[in-house]
Amino acid sequence: MTATFELILCVMILGTACVALFVRDFLTAIAFFVVFGNLLGLAWLAMGAVNVALAEIAIGAGVTGVLLVLTRSRLLALGEEIACGPARPWLRLGAAAACSAFTTLLAAAVLSIAPGDDLAPVVDGLMPRIGLDNPVTGVLMAFRAYDTLLESFVLLGALVAVWSLAPPAAWPQPPVALRMADPAALNVAGSFGRLLLPVALVMAAYLVWVGSDRPGGAFQGGTVLAGGFLLAAMGGAIGLPRSDDPRLRWALVAGPLVFLAIGLAGAATGRFLAYPDGTAKALIVTIEYVLAFSIGVTLALLVAGPPARAGTGP
Amino acid sequence: MTWTDLAVTLLLSAGLFFYAAGTVGLLRFPDAASRLHALTKADNVGLGFVALAAALQWGSLVVAAKIAAVWLFAILAAGTSAQLMARVARQDDGDGP
């Protein structure tokens, strides 16, 4: 990656970010936000952080983009006016000052990391003990496993928060159907969704599996799975489950629960979230597969929104 | 410069040409249908050339197969979204479906 390429990439990232912020039309802003996320993924790739690039493009650009587009159509269906009039000057100045201060703080933190930082050799030295080759997975699933455990519960909490927005009469109906209203469009989207869902399943399983040794992992695989679910739902190939369906509830909690159970089993034999010698890889891969499935279902339902009465919404 | 380098350069140039043609079409064509036509057709050929160049540069059959899969899914996604967008555009024009 040459300096010219990186410079052009930086300019394009800043440019798309500015357009996404300043453009008046909400849909245009979303489009530029998605382009911004993809370019940011390219930047991570240029720095060799393939795991982060995958997560940024799948979650930051993909799922968040769909979430924003659906939010827009929900607001329009509710008759809300999506307009952003000129903000008050003091509000703009305040936001600019707060963002600048935060950016300066972040930049100072990043620059304070010495080039010969000692963490990488420490992690590399520990990797053989857990039998994985991808240091990012090692950090996420072994050395800082409690972070990932908490993250999986945060995701579950987010879905609970979205569900709590359901009107009392709608509980426990499924969310507003994502299937397209126009029959011909449904036909096109249906073939696409039916074709892509099995591919997404294979792709997600592959991403989790290679995550042990190469870039990939539970969050990336789970997001691909969520994308497959959403496309299939938009094409009418699958329906959305009722919110009190026990199978759905188990699918949602399986990942965090298995993770917690293995962590507690570690506590019984030594330390919380410590894997016994020789079993680390098998346990980590088990956790990652169940976690990826739960993340996929949770993300798809987060995008689908709260339970709604049949026949309402977009 | 080896023959592979030359082939990669030629393929990349061909890809760039089709991308440029697709972009010019997007900007200059009068209505939504012809713009979509320019975008999906020319860009997919351009992507095909760039994918061929990347596969040749890597020189590995496994990587080439993965790149081919990426190209196929890109075509599929472009075709599907073009169909959906063309439908919306026609409805907006008032022609009816």
Side-chain angles (χ1 to χ4, degrees):
Chain A
M1 299 282 174
T2 59
T4 323
F5 175 78
E6 286 175 5
L7 200 67
I8 293 175
L9 194 58
C10 283
V11 171
M12 285 174 77
I13 289 175
L14 285 176
T16 45
C18 284
V19 175
L21 279 177
F22 293 121
V23 75
R24 279 292 154 86
D25 181 47
F26 195 49
L27 204 55
T28 316
I30 298 170
F32 272 90
F33 173 77
V34 171
V35 177
F36 164 76
N38 279 307
L39 290 173
L40 210 58
L42 267 186
W44 286 115
L45 206 59
M47 286 187 277
V50 186
N51 281 287
V52 189
L54 277 174
E56 171 62 39
I57 289 176
I59 305 175
V63 173
T64 316
V66 178
L67 191 66
L68 289 172
V69 171
L70 284 178
T71 307
R72 174 182 172 273
S73 57
R74 295 250 158 87
L75 286 174
L76 289 177
L78 287 173
E80 296 277 334
E81 190 98 5
I82 308 177
C84 35
R88 289 184 205 99
W90 61 265
L91 197 66
R92 289 184 168 209
L93 275 177
C99 291
S100 306
F102 186 62
T103 309
T104 314
L105 214 70
L106 274 181
V110 169
L111 291 174
S112 73
I113 302 173
D117 189 29
D118 292 321
L119 271 176
V122 172
V123 171
D124 285 343
L126 287 169
M127 289 305 288
R129 291 188 54 189
I130 54 171
L132 304 177
D133 274 342
N134 180 4
V136 177
T137 304
V139 171
L140 287 180
M141 299 306 295
F143 312 134
R144 303 272 298 182
Y146 53 85
D147 279 0
T148 314
L149 179 64
L150 289 179
E151 258 170 43
S152 67
F153 277 99
V154 166
L155 206 57
L156 203 58
L159 184 64
V160 172
V162 167
W163 276 5
S164 70
L165 297 175
W171 185 262
Q173 296 299 315
V176 177
L178 292 169
R179 52 186 294 154
M180 305 204 169
D182 183 89
L186 183 69
N187 201 3
V188 174
S191 340
F192 191 58
R194 261 187 285 276
L195 189 72
L196 227 59
L197 183 55
V199 177
L201 277 170
V202 174
M203 187 73 198
Y206 171 77
L207 273 175
V208 177
W209 181 251
V210 295
S212 323
D213 299 328
R214 276 178 288 154
F219 275 86
Q220 288 88 340
T223 314
V224 169
L225 196 59
F229 284 146
L230 287 171
L231 283 171
M234 284 174 193
I238 57 171
L240 294 169
R242 282 170 61 95
S243 313
D244 62 349
D245 189 334
R247 286 168 302 170
L248 170 70
R249 297 285 178 90
W250 280 112
L252 291 174
V253 297
L257 218 57
V258 167
F259 204 165
L260 190 65
I262 290 179
L264 287 175
T269 56
R271 274 170 56 195
F272 181 55
L273 284 170
Y275 309 113
D277 277 337
T279 62
K281 184 172 179 178
L283 289 177
I284 287 175
V285 171
T286 309
I287 294 173
E288 284 211 296
Y289 265 111
V290 189
L291 198 57
F293 182 66
S294 288
I295 289 172
V297 177
T298 313
L299 278 179
L301 284 174
L302 270 178
V303 172
R309 265 173 297 179
T312 58
Chain B
M1 196 183 213
T2 64
W3 285 108
T4 316
D5 287 344
L6 188 68
V8 167
T9 314
L10 282 177
L11 285 170
L12 276 181
S13 311
L16 274 182
F17 169 75
F18 277 100
Y19 266 116
T23 310
V24 170
L26 172 70
L27 294 175
R28 301 289 299 172
F29 278 160
D31 57 62
S34 30
R35 285 177 176 180
L36 280 172
H37 163 91
L39 253 193
T40 43
K41 293 211 169 108
D43 278 14
N44 282 335
V45 178
L47 182 63
F49 277 117
V50 173
L52 269 179
L56 207 59
Q57 177 76 22
W58 245 280
S60 140
L61 215 57
V62 179
V63 175
K66 283 182 186 172
I67 292 177
V70 169
W71 183 55
L72 276 179
F73 284 119
I75 291 181
L76 206 62
T80 305
S81 47
Q83 287 273 340
L84 294 175
M85 275 195 267
R87 186 151 295 281
V88 173
R90 267 176 78 176
Q91 280 170 354
D92 285 354
D93 288 350
D95 294 351

